[in-house]
Amino acid sequence: MPLTRDSAMNTANVLSEALPYLQRFVGKTIVVKYGGNAMIDEELKNSFARDMVKLKLVGINPIVVHGGGPQIGDLLEKLIYVDKLTGAYNRHYLDDYLPRLVKDGLRTSIPLALVIFDIDHFKLFNDMYGHLDGDSCLWKVSKTINEALLRPMDKLVRIGGEEFLVILPNTDVEGATAVTERLLKTVYDLNIPHSASGYGRITLSAGLAIKHDDASKTIDHVMLEADKNLYAAKTSGRNQLKAPSVVIKSVSENHHAHVPIKSQSE
């Protein structure tokens, strides 16, 4: 029997009322059956997805089984994992995705590169151009980086206001340096005006760190290393990458390739 609007509404109401009683399932995976079809309008889809988010936030992992196509699953993933402003993934995604990559890396002995980006002088940009232009800038930068990532496994995560993390599985320092250099150049070429910047446009600073198959060096330690390298890039003039063994100097319009030099802080 097809799911009608009334029965769907009743199902959503029952699930909402039942949430306080589901604490025994915290830390476990449950299957939620959804009979979605074309008869269910967007309001009900959103209500159902919000209930699934509630389950996720209290530590229950819902697997949605439904007969009406992938619409609800896609909506659920967007509500849980995607930052609304920038379209990048959010910290919920990072918390779920990164531990799996670390586990895979320890098992297969492949490196994992983490690159933390920060938009240079973004507070000054907001103060000068206003928050609407600031939001537009964040969206443009995020969209540009996402489009410049060439492998499906490479992910962009917004981890702060103007701070982003790029996750590059199976990538060593040389490969991650090449990718990051290209991303910095791509954003530079957007030529978003920023009169408070010494470059006259929006630029990025970046810090890179690599997680190897060494269980003694935790992913938190690697994130801290990338953050320290980001700070070094910003204090060295911005618009550059600081990596464990190389520093990529400032990007310019005539940029084609950089000759890596030894970092002064390594």
Side-chain angles (χ1 to χ4, degrees), residues 6 11 44 51 59 72 100 114 125 137 148 158 160 166-167 171-172 186 193 203-204 225 255:
D6 288 340
T11 300
L44 289 176
D51 284 334
I72 288 293
R100 297 202 303 267
L114 301 179
F125 185 90
C137 174
R158 187 186 183 194
V166 168
I167 305 172
T171 308
D172 59 18
T186 301
T203 58
L204 300 178
E225 183 181 349
H255 165 88

Side-chain angles (χ1 to χ4, degrees), residues 182-209:
R182 176 168 50 81
L183 296 179
L184 263 65
K185 178 63 166 57
T186 301
V187 170
Y188 185 93
D189 287 344
L190 284 175
N191 197 20
I192 300 174
H194 188 355
S195 59
S197 167
Y199 297 97
R201 66 181 71 194
I202 286 292
T203 58
L204 300 178
S205 295
L208 166 64

Side-chain angles (χ1 to χ4, degrees), residues 53-217:
V53 172
K54 292 176 186 177
L55 290 176
K56 187 74 175 178
L57 291 178
V58 299
I60 301 171
N61 182 34
I63 296 178
V64 181
V65 178
H66 53 87
Q71 293 89 349
I72 288 293
D74 292 344
L75 178 60
L76 176 62
E77 179 171 329
K78 287 181 180 179
L79 285 172
I80 295 177
Y81 288 138
V82 176
D83 178 65
K84 291 181 180 179
L85 174 61
T86 64
Y89 288 107
N90 59 25
R91 281 190 170 271
H92 289 304
Y93 181 83
L94 184 65
D95 292 342
D96 284 354
Y97 181 66
L98 196 55
R100 297 202 303 267
L101 288 180
V102 172
K103 185 177 180 181
D104 290 344
L106 292 174
R107 186 180 69 251
T108 59
S109 300
I110 59 174
L112 170 65
L114 301 179
V115 188
I116 299 180
F117 290 89
D118 190 86
I119 300 177
D120 295 326
H121 299 300
F122 187 71
K123 184 180 185 303
L124 292 176
F125 185 90
N126 264 337
D127 292 343
M128 178 165 292
Y129 298 97
H131 288 282
L132 287 179
D133 280 357
D135 288 350
S136 176
C137 174
L138 288 170
W139 180 81
K140 289 176 182 177
V141 168
S142 175
K143 180 175 182 291
T144 298
I145 293 176
N146 254 326
E147 291 175 350
L149 293 173
L150 303 180
R151 304 181 304 175
M153 69 179 72
D154 300 335
K155 306 295 184 184
L156 175 67
V157 183
R158 187 186 183 194
I159 58 176
E162 69 271 23
E163 198 168 70
F164 295 85
L165 172 70
V166 168
I167 305 172
L168 302 171
N170 195 16
T171 308
D172 59 18
V173 66
E174 290 81 10
T177 297
V179 171
T180 305
E181 182 182 14
R182 176 168 50 81
L183 296 179
L184 263 65
K185 178 63 166 57
T186 301
V187 170
Y188 185 93
D189 287 344
L190 284 175
N191 197 20
I192 300 174
H194 188 355
S195 59
S197 167
Y199 297 97
R201 66 181 71 194
I202 286 292
T203 58
L204 300 178
S205 295
L208 166 64
I210 304 293
K211 176 75 172 78
H212 296 284
D213 58 337
D214 178 6
S216 64
K217 188 176 183 180

